[in-house]
Amino acid sequence: MLTRKQLELLSFINDRLNSDGVPPSFDEMKEALDLRSKSGIHRLITALEERGFIRRLAHRARAIEIVKLPDAIGGQPAGFEPRVIEGDRRDPPAGAMAISSIHAMELPVMGRIAAGTPIEAISEVSHNVAVPGSMVSNAGNHYALEVKGDSMIEAGINDGDIVVIRDQNSADNGDIVVALVDGQEATLKRLRRKGGMIALEAANPAYETRVLPADRVKVQGRLVGLIRSY
């Protein structure tokens, strides 16, 4: 059962998707529900996702997909068809359609990466994960990391997600990167260069941007994909 606010938000998102084809921004959701801060929207979005009503898509901050609707709003959205990439789960969830024809390849999972307060740098393979071949370009080496923390939630990256990283030591402004701070701490953040400084930006208003001298930050890879377990 959904709370009144959860139902209001789900209805608002559904109406905007039907009218505009794109979901509303977090600011628009905040205004529509008359909430004081976006943190309340984060909690509602997370609750709706955990209950299986919506799905946040990778790589885009405003990418939200309606999975199902309660009877109070009109039931399952018209034309909806579940899409599941088959991974290491033995059986797909009930009602899901497995896609077995997707070319997949295995990448090493190099431990955890912090999307929050930086944690110790990771360098040892914990296990392998299968990813769609289309997610990985032919050029360069790739690896995967398990996300710990919620500082990149507005970029569609949640605690427990697996991020796919292209191994490289440079990045453009605005890229989401694996940054090594002082040779000891690894974190997943959006990178901005400001003169001789580097800003590591979170995608969650609860976290402050860290601004550090460029010589204290080394890029170890750029985000190219994301895998979510439900």
Side-chain angles (χ1 to χ4, degrees):
M1 177 178 287
L2 297 179
T3 67
R4 181 175 60 84
K5 283 295 186 183
Q6 290 167 359
L7 192 61
E8 285 181 11
L9 180 58
L10 184 59
S11 179
F12 179 61
I13 294 171
N14 186 57
D15 289 345
R16 285 293 297 272
L17 283 170
N18 287 335
S19 63
D20 301 342
V22 295
S25 68
F26 276 62
D27 284 322
E28 290 169 333
M29 295 180 203
K30 178 171 69 72
E31 285 188 17
L33 271 67
D34 194 25
L35 296 179
R36 293 184 178 181
S37 69
K38 288 190 287 186
S39 61
I41 295 297
H42 287 303
R43 288 192 291 270
L44 292 172
I45 288 289
T46 299
L48 289 172
E49 187 173 31
E50 289 175 347
R51 287 163 175 76
F53 287 95
I54 65 171
R55 176 185 297 132
R56 280 181 284 195
L57 308 179
H59 313 309
R60 296 179 297 172
R62 290 180 58 175
I64 296 176
E65 180 180 68
I66 299 289
V67 176
K68 63 181 180 181
L69 294 172
D71 292 338
I73 300 180
Q76 184 165 294
F80 170 75
E81 189 173 273
R83 302 192 304 268
V84 177
I85 293 176
E86 191 172 26
D88 57 2
R89 186 191 294 266
R90 184 178 297 273
D91 296 308
M97 180 180 67
I99 301 176
S100 58
S101 61
I102 296 176
H103 169 67
M105 62 182 298
E106 285 198 345
L107 292 180
V109 179
M110 307 291 289
R112 286 185 168 187
I113 183 73
T117 304
I119 56 178
E120 291 184 1
I122 33 79
S123 59
E124 295 183 0
V125 176
S126 60
H127 61 285
N128 290 337
V129 65
V131 304
S134 59
M135 191 179 289
V136 180
S137 66
N138 292 328
N141 296 320
H142 296 76
Y143 59 93
L145 295 165
E146 181 183 352
V147 175
K148 180 177 175 61
D150 62 354
S151 76
M152 299 303 290
I153 193 169
E154 282 198 17
I157 303 170
N158 298 334
D159 184 46
D161 287 347
I162 299 291
V163 289
V164 178
I165 305 296
R166 185 180 187 275
D167 189 5
Q168 60 185 68
N169 57 16
S170 63
D172 296 329
N173 276 343
D175 283 347
I176 296 176
V177 303
V178 174
L180 186 66
V181 179
D182 294 332
Q184 297 180 349
E185 298 173 331
T187 188
L188 186 73
K189 291 289 182 292
R190 194 177 300 279
L191 181 143
R192 306 276 186 192
R193 290 186 176 84
K194 300 179 179 180
M197 308 293 284
I198 286 180
L200 299 177
E201 297 179 352
N204 182 335
Y207 293 84
E208 293 184 356
T209 296
R210 298 183 70 192
V211 181
L212 301 164
D215 60 1
R216 292 181 57 190
V217 179
K218 292 184 179 179
V219 173
Q220 292 196 312
R222 178 175 62 86
L223 176 74
V224 296
L226 181 144
I227 303 168
R228 177 161 299 153
S229 297
Y230 293 94

